[in-house]
Amino acid sequence: MAVTTTTTSTSENSLRRALADKQSTIDARGNAMRQLKSSGASKAEIDEAVKALTALKLEKASIENELKASISVDTNGSVISRDAFRQAVVNTLERRLFYIPAFKIYGGVAGLYDYGPPGCAVKSNVLAFWRQHFVLEEDMLEVDCPCVTPEVILKASGHVDKFTDLMVKDEKTGNCYRADHLLKDYCKDKLENDLAIIADKAAEFKHVLAVLDDLSGEQLGAKIKEYDIVAPDTKNPLSDPYPFNLMFQTQIGPSGASTGYMRPETAQGIFVNFKDLYYYNGKKLPFAASQIGQAFRNEISPRQGLLRVREFTLAEIEHFVDPDDKSHPKYSEVSNLEFLMFPRAEQLSGQSAKRLCLGEAVSKHLPNEMAHYAADCWDAEIKSSYGWIECVGIADRSAYDLRAHADKSGAALVAQEKFAEPKEVEKLVITPVKKELGLAFKGNQKMVVEALEAMNEKEALDMKAALETKGEVEFEVCTLEKTVTIKKNMVSISKEKKKEGQRVFTPSVIEPSFGIGRIIYCLYEHSFYMRPSKAEDEQLNVFRFPPLVAPIKCTVFPLVQNQQYEEVAKQISRTLTAAGVSNKKDLTGTSIGKRYARTDELGVPFAVTVDSTSSVTIRERDSKDQIRVNVDEVAAVIKDVSEGRYTWTDISEKYRPKMKQYLGYTYINFIRACFGL
Amino acid sequence: MAVTTTTTSTSENSLRRALADKQSTIDARGNAMRQLKSSGASKAEIDEAVKALTALKLEKASIENELKASISVDTNGSVISRDAFRQAVVNTLERRLFYIPAFKIYGGVAGLYDYGPPGCAVKSNVLAFWRQHFVLEEDMLEVDCPCVTPEVILKASGHVDKFTDLMVKDEKTGNCYRADHLLKDYCKDKLENDLAIIADKAAEFKHVLAVLDDLSGEQLGAKIKEYDIVAPDTKNPLSDPYPFNLMFQTQIGPSGASTGYMRPETAQGIFVNFKDLYYYNGKKLPFAASQIGQAFRNEISPRQGLLRVREFTLAEIEHFVDPDDKSHPKYSEVSNLEFLMFPRAEQLSGQSAKRLCLGEAVSKHLPNEMAHYAADCWDAEIKSSYGWIECVGIADRSAYDLRAHADKSGAALVAQEKFAEPKEVEKLVITPVKKELGLAFKGNQKMVVEALEAMNEKEALDMKAALETKGEVEFEVCTLEKTVTIKKNMVSISKEKKKEGQRVFTPSVIEPSFGIGRIIYCLYEHSFYMRPSKAEDEQLNVFRFPPLVAPIKCTVFPLVQNQQYEEVAKQISRTLTAAGVSNKKDLTGTSIGKRYARTDELGVPFAVTVDSTSSVTIRERDSKDQIRVNVDEVAAVIKDVSEGRYTWTDISEKYRPKMKQYLGYTYINFIRACFGL
């Protein structure tokens, strides 16, 4: 029962209505605040009002972005189709080397991309900010583990057996395809292009699309046969679907006897170090460990450009928490934020996403008598021209991984809570009967066992009561995304009393996992717009990157080719570099307009034009506002405004010192800062 | 004919003499400078004198470090053996989680390590500084390419055929060993432990050690047979040596038809992008591209801990230059620096390393009539308890890689120099006769061909003359590290005239390649020392990391457990965090001495003790000096001193504002800054 913000037919009209409502609330609040100020209200009151207004503006920006990305794209006044928009973004990205298909001169390899200089700088800015926002601000323990991973680790984690996609082969050429992709393409094509299909048939295709992720190999194969789907390139018949493991396999050492894989996620490296990290943290829970690094998935047929690739940078956090207390100390500070939410049940039943407060979503989502969670997962998605894209996956992995590695390695991966004095404790003992569960659930047995073991006391006792009265009970297994029937002989539940000086338990793990490449691609789309040139004879491309992530913070150029001006430009550039502010000189004799256009297309937020030897012009990219600053102050001003100590508004109001609280600390604040919301 | 600073029997005494000399020069210069100041000399004169004195001090620090690392190690007064020293460093590193053997709970995998929280922070500081020092300061084009690399790339680069080590197998168990390691261990063991060997035999073993890297498989096999070397673990006989490719092999995509490898270096990703990068740089040479990323080498039998590993982070730079002009614009600023240098010829002839100015080494090393270079390589080594360790390899790869990829892919990887007006040019045409060269040099043919093609005009014309008069000529091929005989029928050299509007040429590539893990390990050893506790009853470990690379810049703790002090400590920590300064609170009730010891062992340069609510004590790690600072100034002071804007001396002299030019920009300055020299 995952809650996720995902693709749906949220209509443009309802978004426009929501936007208008939000705007009038903002106007009203703005007026109220001005009255507060003029009536001499206390600082605390005014601060409170500012905070509320900022929150409203963030919500408005979020609605605006959704609206922008829906069906057609309005880039600064000119409305173009999503495909044309994507083409414009991608052309600009490739031309300016934000990214390059890897090994291009050899024809490239599907699913592998290089970041060129500006892309590389954006990535390094996003990662530096991620470190500041999470590792530093939240006191996380960062680790850095190898990509090459021996088989035993990934056997324990389940990846060797289960990290697969279903594949079909062209029976003549041997070409490979993802079975679900072929079925999805077929249904979408029918729905969009075959106007002759009857309503029943259309409903069937829609249903297939809704349940696509839940279909077994047999079910997929049956549908492919039923619809006569053939190989798209050759029209040859297709094999039955069979699982293909997505890990890149290799051999470690020269003997050929030691199989290894390139890690498919960074998380396992953290789990196997749990014990050391727990000691490093002074044997205290909760704590979080994090890792930034490459992950590898040998996709069957990569598509969607930078979104589905075979090698990518993950930034993962593992929160190790007491399973009896999964509260977050700073939760109250975000619980009022509103999001577009899409619970799994409503996805399946064909309903649409709706706006909910985080607090409401979390509390609605609390376990009740009938819901039992082994794990839970929320996808944080960002809308792009490809639809809603999962960029951060937040999963409750419960005790699954630590238990798996403890079992396989024999190491005790547990935490202790020492009691002040020995306590008589009643211990809940849940013993799944693996033999019976195996007979009933076969390949799914492990998931069901984990779900049973992860029940809290109330859930377990309710189940015990139900089994005793009714002999069986419906039990929802989140990792399977379905409900199964548990019978009396499948599990024994009891309570036992004993005296204990401490409580020893396997911590639960909550994992937010950030796909850095996906975040960056969405950032590109959200930052891109076009505006007419001065002569209005062509459309110019602009990336409105916030200074925080902009690949280059500042361009410096002399107004005219003139040795004195060039010297000043070089001096300013040197000072910026020494202060750690990335900048680019442009000493070509090209017209100012062309130089601005070049710099706008790289998303450079500020341009310094040297038009005298004592003071210079600074121009802001989006507003095209210009201010004059003395030569010896310019580097400090650019540094302040590009590192977020001051906004452009602050600066343009003659450097009135107004400190901005720039950095937030929740996941969503991270994304917001990256996207400049 | 590589020049390298490498392991040799530089005697302790000569180092001590050099140190004493340097100290008296420094004293004399110091006196002279004081006189200059008191005599009211000009600012320029004083600046010049300060610069000279700083350079002398750097040279002195370098000699001190060599001395320190030679044979015995003096850690703050107590002299211990190299092995004991290494053990003390490694114990501290493992205990404080600077690194962890990867997958430790499963018994680990040779050659794979994790960085724990402090190691990860050191790495991220070193990489951030590397980006500032090279990418930003030198305007380099940074790229980020995949690790998974298709076979065609590594076939073109020569890695598929030649990236091998010679391996022998235990004939009974199949255990694998590096053939050269076994021979090296045998000779070293004989020399060190067998006092009965005669002088002739000792000379032979020494010779084997000197030429070890040049021995062919046959030669290695013959020596192993001659000395009756057996498998070290079982005493079983060994197979003949045979080449083992060090790349991790895998399959890309599901078909099984597309072989790939994990890249053994990051450089190839840059070379295949040359054309795009050249255009991005406005079609101008020289320019440099850089890449930081993982590289993979499936070592036969990894040893020496963090120094020879199977996966590691490389930071590589490729300078693309005109082959006719390999001058560096900033070379003059470093040409007077003195180093311990060890030319290859002197290594082979058993001489020892000597101190030389960089300028002298470079000019001595210029090609003369008899020397012809296809490539050149300098190893920058850092002394550790394992001996001198190559940490930065600087290679002139000439046009080899760009030509190889141009040939294989068909893409034109060339640069153009446009002439103002068409020129009549005489073109040198060197045509190696591959058939004859193949017959004469077999497997080495390619290297000889490249060396011939890479000759400059003078070298080629000299060779032409020699071939015409003598029929053959000795020719040094640097990549083979030997001289070969070129006969008249092996190469044709001629000059041809034509009119051309531009010159089209394949750029040469100069590559400095930084082994980040090795630099960090050496940094650990160079930073480590021990000092007695206050009670003098135990030795305490300290890492004297410069603030620039220290994993945590500051510890904050209340003097006593007291709510008011704790609040102040928390507030200071929050302010530091918001300013991006990594810090750690210690709210345990442990004694101040123990808390200092804990923080010293992590190399934290500054500790803030809250002993009042208005002002606090800041203590510097190595001097143990303390100063008092107001609570609301403390974060700014720590930020300034840990980001290198002020030194501790500046700060302790009551914040007299003395800006330090902290960041240099040559390779050696990078290392110096990392190591705090």
Side-chain angles (χ1 to χ4, degrees):
Chain A
M1 180 98 90
V3 175
T4 153
T5 64
T6 188
T7 183
T8 179
S9 57
T10 317
S11 81
E12 204 184 331
N13 284 342
S14 73
L15 282 168
R16 286 192 191 283
R17 266 198 307 276
L19 192 61
D21 290 347
K22 200 60 77 184
Q23 186 58 53
S24 48
T25 318
I26 288 173
D27 293 344
R29 291 283 192 119
N31 286 333
M33 199 173 72
R34 272 184 288 279
Q35 283 175 1
L36 260 184
K37 279 182 174 175
S38 61
S39 71
S42 76
K43 187 173 175 300
E45 273 180 272
I46 294 177
D47 282 354
E48 196 54 44
V50 169
K51 206 169 146 191
L53 195 55
T54 307
L56 283 168
K57 283 183 182 164
L58 287 174
E59 289 164 9
K60 184 192 147 199
S62 158
I63 305 176
E64 268 175 339
N65 270 307
E66 273 164 56
L67 184 57
K68 224 176 294 167
S70 81
I71 305 170
S72 60
V73 183
D74 180 339
T75 126
N76 210 51
S78 63
V79 177
I80 57 175
S81 81
R82 263 196 217 188
D83 284 350
F85 171 76
R86 184 195 305 149
Q87 210 46 60
V89 178
V90 162
N91 285 349
T92 311
L93 291 173
E94 288 207 36
R95 191 161 36 74
R96 301 309 299 268
L97 300 197
F98 280 88
Y99 77 90
I100 309 159
F103 318 114
K104 194 171 79 171
I105 60 172
Y106 288 94
V109 175
L112 294 178
Y113 293 90
D114 299 334
Y115 288 100
C120 212
V122 169
K123 182 179 171 187
S124 132
N125 293 338
V126 168
L127 291 179
F129 178 57
W130 196 90
R131 273 210 176 85
Q132 166 70 25
H133 192 88
F134 294 111
V135 182
L136 227 69
E137 294 270 349
E138 302 271 301
D139 257 334
M140 293 179 177
L141 307 183
E142 190 178 355
V143 300
D144 182 14
C145 308
C147 300
V148 174
T149 306
E151 184 162 45
V152 64
I153 309 292
L154 297 158
K155 190 83 191 169
S157 70
H159 286 89
V160 171
D161 295 326
K162 286 189 204 148
F163 194 64
T164 56
D165 273 345
L166 289 161
M167 176 161 96
V168 289
K169 268 197 178 176
D170 181 319
E171 286 195 341
K172 288 185 184 156
T173 65
N175 282 352
C176 304
Y177 305 93
R178 257 181 74 165
D180 58 341
H181 281 178
L182 294 188
L183 182 56
K184 183 177 177 182
D185 291 348
Y186 176 87
C187 293
K188 282 183 102 170
D189 180 62
K190 281 284 172 193
L191 285 168
E192 284 166 16
N193 302 320
D194 188 349
L195 300 175
I197 54 172
I198 54 170
D200 277 8
K201 210 64 194 166
E204 180 185 322
F205 292 140
K206 280 183 188 162
H207 176 73
V208 169
L209 289 174
V211 300
L212 197 63
D213 291 346
D214 300 320
L215 297 181
S216 68
E218 289 72 29
Q219 290 168 319
L220 271 174
K223 280 288 168 201
I224 287 171
K225 284 225 159 51
E226 181 187 337
Y227 296 154
D228 276 333
I229 299 174
V230 291
D233 306 319
T234 61
K235 312 295 170 209
N236 289 332
L238 293 167
S239 73
D240 284 334
Y242 60 97
F244 171 72
N245 194 298
L246 298 180
M247 292 193 293
F248 285 99
Q249 192 180 328
T250 192
Q251 290 295 323
I252 305 175
S255 72
S258 177
T259 296
Y261 299 91
M262 304 311 298
R263 62 179 177 194
E265 58 177 14
T266 72
Q268 299 304 324
I270 299 179
F271 298 139
V272 298
N273 282 318
F274 167 74
K275 201 174 161 185
D276 279 342
L277 295 170
Y278 177 60
Y279 275 69
Y280 187 85
N281 199 52
K283 300 196 209 170
K284 287 207 178 66
L285 285 190
F287 73 90
S290 67
Q291 179 165 202
I292 297 174
Q294 294 303 91
F296 302 83
R297 295 185 189 175
N298 195 9
E299 295 287 347
I300 294 167
S301 48
R303 46 192 207 173
Q304 296 191 320
L306 291 176
L307 293 178
R308 186 166 297 279
V309 292
R310 286 177 163 150
E311 181 179 337
F312 47 97
T313 302
L314 279 182
E316 297 193 301
I317 297 166
E318 312 298 327
H319 292 280
F320 294 99
V321 300
D322 187 328
D324 293 345
D325 178 11
K326 297 187 180 177
S327 62
H328 190 289
K330 295 179 178 170
Y331 170 65
S332 64
E333 301 177 31
V334 295
S335 63
N336 286 326
L337 293 177
E338 196 180 296
F339 293 91
L340 191 64
M341 293 274 182
F342 200 15
R344 174 137 202 108
E346 297 176 11
Q347 291 174 40
L348 291 179
S349 66
Q351 295 177 54
S352 53
K354 53 189 165 199
R355 303 198 68 80
L356 279 177
C357 276
L358 197 55
E360 200 181 344
V362 167
S363 62
K364 272 200 178 172
H365 192 55
L366 283 176
N368 58 35
E369 285 151 87
M370 293 315 296
H372 307 274
Y373 304 100
D376 188 8
C377 33
W378 295 39
D379 295 343
E381 306 191 330
I382 302 177
K383 194 152 189 180
S384 80
S385 65
Y386 292 105
W388 285 95
I389 299 301
E390 181 191 342
C391 288
V392 187
I394 307 176
D396 182 346
R397 298 178 77 135
S398 72
Y400 173 67
D401 300 277
L402 291 184
R403 287 228 180 99
H405 288 299
D407 286 352
K408 195 97 178 178
S409 70
L413 303 181
V414 291
Q416 293 97 29
E417 186 198 355
K418 288 225 160 39
F419 301 141
E421 52 191 62
K423 270 189 197 173
E424 175 154 291
V425 289
E426 245 192 351
K427 278 192 92 164
L428 179 75
V429 181
I430 303 173
T431 316
V433 183
K434 294 200 178 163
K435 194 183 147 204
E436 296 295 333
L437 291 164
L439 285 171
F441 302 115
K442 303 195 175 66
N444 293 335
Q445 180 211 357
K446 203 169 172 184
M447 310 273 215
V448 179
V449 167
E450 287 151 18
L452 288 169
E453 289 178 339
M455 286 189 292
N456 66 25
E457 184 159 329
K458 180 168 189 325
E459 290 162 358
L461 294 180
D462 286 349
M463 177 179 278
K464 182 183 167 75
L467 288 176
E468 276 162 12
T469 55
K470 288 180 272 173
E472 64 177 51
V473 66
E474 292 300 292
F475 178 63
E476 191 170 341
V477 181
C478 182
T479 44
L480 293 176
E481 291 171 352
K482 65 178 180 186
T483 295
V484 300
T485 304
I486 299 293
K487 296 195 174 142
K488 208 174 168 179
N489 62 351
M490 294 178 184
V491 61
S492 114
I493 298 169
S494 61
K495 292 196 84 170
E496 292 168 15
K497 277 188 187 175
K498 42 178 166 170
K499 273 217 163 188
E500 285 185 346
Q502 62 175 10
R503 178 179 151 239
V504 177
F505 59 95
T506 303
S508 274
V509 175
I510 317 277
E511 173 193 89
S513 173
F514 291 72
I516 297 297
R518 289 183 165 197
I519 292 174
I520 290 175
Y521 178 76
C522 292
L523 173 69
Y524 291 151
E525 280 203 1
H526 283 241
S527 301
F528 185 82
Y529 66 100
M530 288 180 286
R531 60 184 175 199
S533 66
K534 216 168 180 182
E536 306 221 337
D537 54 352
E538 55 174 334
Q539 288 286 312
L540 301 175
N541 304 317
V542 189
F543 283 107
R544 65 162 84 79
F545 297 127
L548 179 74
V549 296
I552 299 164
K553 312 301 179 199
C554 181
T555 328
V556 188
F557 46 74
L559 181 66
V560 290
Q561 278 186 311
N562 160 325
Q563 210 194 327
Q564 275 186 308
Y565 289 3
E566 275 191 26
E567 271 315 307
V568 174
K570 283 182 187 166
Q571 183 50 43
I572 291 171
S573 166
R574 271 195 298 271
T575 317
L576 284 167
T577 300
V581 180
S582 63
N583 64 91
K584 208 177 156 73
K585 292 187 295 286
D586 185 343
L587 305 178
T588 61
T590 326
S591 75
I592 283 292
K594 282 222 173 100
R595 283 188 278 187
Y596 280 146
R598 260 186 217 160
T599 198
D600 291 345
E601 207 177 45
L602 281 174
V604 182
F606 308 106
V608 171
T609 306
V610 179
D611 45 12
S612 102
T613 54
S614 56
S615 69
V616 299
T617 301
I618 307 180
R619 174 242 199 201
E620 196 274 336
R621 176 194 59 211
D622 300 303
S623 61
K624 301 193 221 164
D625 276 353
Q626 304 194 347
I627 57 170
R628 285 204 73 76
V629 174
N630 285 341
V631 165
D632 42 1
E633 283 174 76
V634 65
V637 168
I638 296 284
K639 186 174 167 75
D640 278 344
V641 74
S642 56
E643 291 179 357
R645 270 184 297 280
Y646 297 96
T647 65
W648 175 254
T649 314
D650 298 334
I651 295 292
S652 59
E653 285 171 11
K654 306 235 167 178
Y655 327 143
R656 197 167 53 188
K658 194 172 10 169
M659 201 72 177
K660 290 278 282 189
Q661 187 166 350
Y662 194 81
L663 308 173
Y665 47 77
T666 63
Y667 311 119
I668 200 68
N669 286 351
F670 171 78
I671 296 294
R672 277 179 168 156
C674 274
F675 284 68
L677 299 180
Chain B
M1 180 97 89
V3 175
T4 152
T5 64
T6 189
T7 182
T8 180
S9 57
T10 317
S11 80
E12 206 185 328
N13 284 342
S14 74
L15 282 168
R16 288 193 189 282
R17 265 198 306 277
L19 192 62
D21 289 348
K22 200 59 79 185
Q23 186 58 52
S24 48
T25 319
I26 288 173
D27 294 342
R29 291 284 192 118
N31 287 334
M33 200 174 73
R34 272 185 289 279
Q35 283 174 1
L36 261 184
K37 279 182 174 175
S38 62
S39 71
S42 75
K43 186 172 174 304
E45 273 178 274
I46 294 177
D47 283 354
E48 197 54 44
V50 170
K51 207 169 146 190
L53 195 55
T54 307
L56 282 167
K57 283 183 182 163
L58 287 174
E59 288 164 10
K60 184 192 146 201
S62 159
I63 304 176
E64 269 175 338
N65 270 307
E66 273 162 56
L67 184 56
K68 222 176 295 164
S70 81
I71 305 173
S72 60
V73 183
D74 179 341
T75 127
N76 211 52
S78 62
V79 177
I80 56 174
S81 80
R82 264 196 216 187
D83 283 351
F85 171 77
R86 185 195 304 147
Q87 210 45 60
V89 178
V90 163
N91 285 349
T92 311
L93 291 173
E94 287 207 35
R95 191 161 35 76
R96 301 309 300 268
L97 299 197
F98 279 87
Y99 76 90
I100 308 160
F103 318 114
K104 194 171 76 171
I105 60 171
Y106 288 94
V109 176
L112 294 179
Y113 293 89
D114 298 335
Y115 289 99
C120 211
V122 169
K123 181 178 172 187
S124 133
N125 293 338
V126 168
L127 291 179
F129 178 58
W130 197 90
R131 273 211 175 84
Q132 167 70 25
H133 192 89
F134 293 112
V135 181
L136 227 68
E137 293 271 349
E138 303 272 299
D139 256 334
M140 293 180 177
L141 307 182
E142 190 179 354
V143 301
D144 182 13
C145 309
C147 301
V148 174
T149 306
E151 184 161 43
V152 63
I153 309 292
L154 296 159
K155 190 84 190 166
S157 70
H159 285 89
V160 172
D161 296 325
K162 287 188 206 148
F163 194 64
T164 56
D165 274 342
L166 289 162
M167 175 161 97
V168 288
K169 268 196 180 177
D170 180 320
E171 286 195 341
K172 288 184 185 156
T173 65
N175 281 354
C176 305
Y177 304 94
R178 255 182 76 167
D180 58 342
H181 282 178
L182 293 189
L183 183 56
K184 184 177 175 181
D185 291 348
Y186 176 85
C187 294
K188 283 183 102 170
D189 180 60
K190 281 284 172 192
L191 285 168
E192 285 166 16
N193 302 321
D194 188 347
L195 300 175
I197 54 171
I198 54 170
D200 276 9
K201 211 64 195 167
E204 180 186 322
F205 292 142
K206 279 184 188 163
H207 177 73
V208 169
L209 288 175
V211 300
L212 197 65
D213 291 347
D214 299 321
L215 297 183
S216 68
E218 289 73 27
Q219 290 168 320
L220 271 175
K223 281 285 168 203
I224 286 172
K225 282 223 160 53
E226 182 188 335
Y227 296 153
D228 276 332
I229 299 175
V230 291
D233 305 319
T234 60
K235 312 297 171 207
N236 289 332
L238 294 165
S239 72
D240 284 334
Y242 61 96
F244 172 73
N245 194 297
L246 297 179
M247 292 192 295
F248 286 98
Q249 190 179 329
T250 192
Q251 290 296 323
I252 306 175
S255 72
S258 177
T259 297
Y261 298 91
M262 303 312 297
R263 62 180 178 193
E265 59 176 14
T266 71
Q268 300 303 324
I270 299 180
F271 299 140
V272 298
N273 280 319
F274 167 74
K275 202 174 162 184
D276 279 343
L277 294 171
Y278 177 60
Y279 276 68
Y280 187 86
N281 198 52
K283 298 198 209 171
K284 286 206 178 69
L285 285 190
F287 73 90
S290 66
Q291 180 165 201
I292 297 173
Q294 293 304 89
F296 303 82
R297 295 184 190 175
N298 195 9
E299 296 287 347
I300 293 168
S301 48
R303 45 191 207 174
Q304 298 190 320
L306 291 176
L307 293 178
R308 186 165 298 279
V309 292
R310 284 175 164 152
E311 181 178 338
F312 47 97
T313 301
L314 279 182
E316 298 195 300
I317 298 166
E318 312 298 327
H319 291 281
F320 294 99
V321 300
D322 186 329
D324 293 345
D325 178 11
K326 295 186 180 177
S327 62
H328 190 289
K330 294 180 179 171
Y331 169 63
S332 64
E333 301 178 31
V334 295
S335 63
N336 286 326
L337 293 178
E338 198 181 294
F339 293 91
L340 191 64
M341 292 273 181
F342 200 14
R344 175 140 200 104
E346 298 174 12
Q347 291 174 40
L348 291 180
S349 65
Q351 296 176 52
S352 55
K354 53 190 166 198
R355 304 197 68 80
L356 278 178
C357 276
L358 197 55
E360 201 181 342
V362 166
S363 61
K364 272 200 179 172
H365 191 55
L366 283 177
N368 58 36
E369 284 150 89
M370 294 315 296
H372 307 274
Y373 304 100
D376 188 8
C377 32
W378 295 40
D379 293 345
E381 305 192 331
I382 302 177
K383 194 151 190 182
S384 80
S385 66
Y386 292 104
W388 285 95
I389 299 301
E390 181 190 342
C391 287
V392 187
I394 308 176
D396 182 346
R397 300 178 75 135
S398 74
Y400 172 67
D401 301 276
L402 291 183
R403 285 226 182 100
H405 288 300
D407 285 353
K408 195 97 178 178
S409 70
L413 304 181
V414 291
Q416 292 98 30
E417 183 198 357
K418 288 227 159 41
F419 301 140
E421 52 191 62
K423 270 190 195 170
E424 176 155 289
V425 288
E426 244 190 353
K427 278 193 92 161
L428 179 75
V429 182
I430 302 173
T431 316
V433 182
K434 294 198 179 164
K435 195 183 147 205
E436 297 296 332
L437 292 165
L439 284 172
F441 304 114
K442 305 198 174 63
N444 292 334
Q445 179 210 359
K446 203 171 173 186
M447 309 273 214
V448 179
V449 167
E450 286 153 20
L452 288 169
E453 288 178 342
M455 286 190 291
N456 66 25
E457 184 158 328
K458 179 164 188 328
E459 290 163 358
L461 294 180
D462 287 347
M463 177 179 279
K464 183 182 167 74
L467 289 177
E468 276 161 14
T469 54
K470 288 181 272 176
E472 64 178 51
V473 67
E474 292 301 291
F475 178 62
E476 191 170 341
V477 180
C478 182
T479 43
L480 292 176
E481 290 171 353
K482 66 176 180 184
T483 296
V484 300
T485 305
I486 298 293
K487 298 198 173 139
K488 208 172 168 179
N489 62 351
M490 292 179 184
V491 61
S492 115
I493 297 170
S494 62
K495 293 197 81 170
E496 291 168 15
K497 278 190 186 175
K498 41 178 167 169
K499 273 217 165 193
E500 284 185 348
Q502 62 177 10
R503 178 180 150 236
V504 178
F505 59 95
T506 304
S508 274
V509 175
I510 316 277
E511 174 193 270
S513 173
F514 291 71
I516 297 299
R518 290 184 165 198
I519 292 174
I520 290 175
Y521 178 75
C522 292
L523 174 68
Y524 290 152
E525 280 204 1
H526 282 241
S527 302
F528 184 81
Y529 68 100
M530 288 181 286
R531 61 182 175 199
S533 67
K534 217 169 179 180
E536 307 222 338
D537 56 349
E538 55 173 335
Q539 290 285 312
L540 301 176
N541 305 316
V542 189
F543 284 107
R544 66 162 83 78
F545 297 127
L548 178 74
V549 296
I552 299 165
K553 312 301 179 198
C554 182
T555 328
V556 189
F557 47 74
L559 180 67
V560 290
Q561 279 187 311
N562 158 325
Q563 211 194 327
Q564 274 187 309
Y565 289 3
E566 276 191 26
E567 272 315 306
V568 174
K570 282 182 186 164
Q571 183 51 43
I572 291 172
S573 166
R574 271 195 297 271
T575 316
L576 284 167
T577 301
V581 180
S582 62
N583 65 90
K584 208 175 156 74
K585 292 187 294 286
D586 185 343
L587 304 179
T588 61
T590 325
S591 75
I592 284 293
K594 282 222 174 100
R595 283 189 277 186
Y596 280 145
R598 259 186 218 160
T599 196
D600 292 345
E601 207 178 45
L602 281 174
V604 182
F606 308 105
V608 172
T609 307
V610 179
D611 44 12
S612 104
T613 54
S614 56
S615 69
V616 299
T617 301
I618 307 181
R619 174 242 199 200
E620 196 272 338
R621 177 194 58 212
D622 301 303
S623 62
K624 302 193 220 162
D625 277 353
Q626 305 196 345
I627 57 170
R628 285 205 74 75
V629 175
N630 285 339
V631 165
D632 43 1
E633 282 173 77
V634 64
V637 167
I638 297 283
K639 186 175 168 73
D640 278 344
V641 74
S642 56
E643 291 179 357
R645 271 185 298 280
Y646 297 97
T647 65
W648 176 254
T649 314
D650 299 335
I651 294 291
S652 58
E653 286 171 10
K654 306 234 167 180
Y655 327 139
R656 198 167 51 188
K658 194 173 6 168
M659 200 72 178
K660 291 277 284 189
Q661 186 165 351
Y662 194 82
L663 306 173
Y665 47 77
T666 64
Y667 309 121
I668 201 68
N669 286 350
F670 171 77
I671 296 295
R672 277 179 170 157
C674 274
F675 283 69
L677 298 181

